[in-house]
Amino acid sequence: MVAAPGSIFELEFPRSLAVFDTYAEAQEAVDFLADEKFEVGQLCIVGTNLKSVERVLGRKTWGTVILQGVQTGVTVAVLVTIMMLIFSPSEAILFAFLAALLAGIVVGVIFQALGHLMSGGRRDFTSISQTVATQYEVLCEHKSVTAAMEILNRKPGFRARQFE
């Protein structure tokens, strides 16, 4: 029987088997269960207690604003050139690439500069953001949770970590 779309992440009456501080620990527990011939298709690793982490990379200056505009322009020029090659191959592709490159850089720098001016100095830094889980819970279908727990209790160090 084929699972319905979207149901691959759903377990039948899931029960918590264990909670781990890292994904590697949760993966190790599932791997141990697999090595012990447990039907791991009844398991799911769920990241819980999500938090947003923003890593500040540096101060935003006019130099970095212009560099970001140039990078955006080059990226757009390459994409436009690839599209032109696919849909209308021609001998003048070098000229088209140079024109797209120049236009992309000019437009990219203008838009980056406008964005920086409009921010009014409120966000004078560059950063990247990521959502991360602080814990990982291994869930098991209700009908097999007891068997899975018995197997995990045989894993070296597993029972001791429950008393930390």
Side-chain angles (χ1 to χ4, degrees):
M1 186 166 130
V2 177
S7 67
I8 191 167
F9 293 105
E10 296 175 14
L11 296 177
E12 187 178 316
F13 305 110
R15 301 278 312 266
S16 180
L17 191 56
V19 177
F20 300 92
D21 291 329
T22 67
Y23 178 76
E25 291 172 325
Q27 189 177 16
E28 186 181 310
V30 172
D31 189 47
F32 182 81
L33 288 166
D35 291 345
E36 296 292 314
K37 308 298 185 246
F38 181 79
E39 182 56 51
V40 291
Q42 300 178 39
L43 301 174
C44 192
I45 299 174
V46 180
T48 60
N49 297 328
L50 302 180
K51 66 179 178 179
S52 175
V53 178
E54 183 174 11
R55 175 70 168 101
V56 177
L57 301 175
R59 188 170 174 266
K60 189 181 279 189
T61 64
W62 277 107
T64 58
V65 169
I66 291 170
L67 183 61
Q68 286 175 341
V70 170
Q71 288 173 335
T72 302
V74 170
T75 303
V76 169
V78 169
L79 292 175
V80 166
T81 304
I82 290 171
M83 297 302 281
M84 288 170 50
L85 274 172
I86 292 171
F87 294 111
S88 64
S90 81
E91 318 309 293
I93 195 64
L94 181 60
F95 175 74
F97 174 69
L98 292 175
L101 186 62
L102 180 63
I105 289 173
V106 169
V107 170
V109 169
I110 288 171
F111 275 101
Q112 287 290 335
L114 285 174
H116 186 61
L117 283 172
M118 291 173 52
S119 73
R122 283 186 300 275
R123 190 163 168 92
D124 282 343
F125 60 91
T126 58
S127 64
I128 54 173
S129 296
Q130 182 179 15
T131 301
V132 295
T134 59
Q135 292 184 316
Y136 297 87
E137 185 172 15
V138 177
L139 299 178
C140 181
E141 289 188 357
H142 74 288
K143 61 188 173 206
S144 303
V145 73
T146 304
M149 186 56 76
E150 287 173 3
I151 294 170
L152 270 183
N153 281 329
R154 294 195 307 255
K155 183 179 184 305
F158 180 76
R159 290 183 68 169
R161 71 176 282 288
Q162 295 173 342
F163 298 105
E164 292 176 350

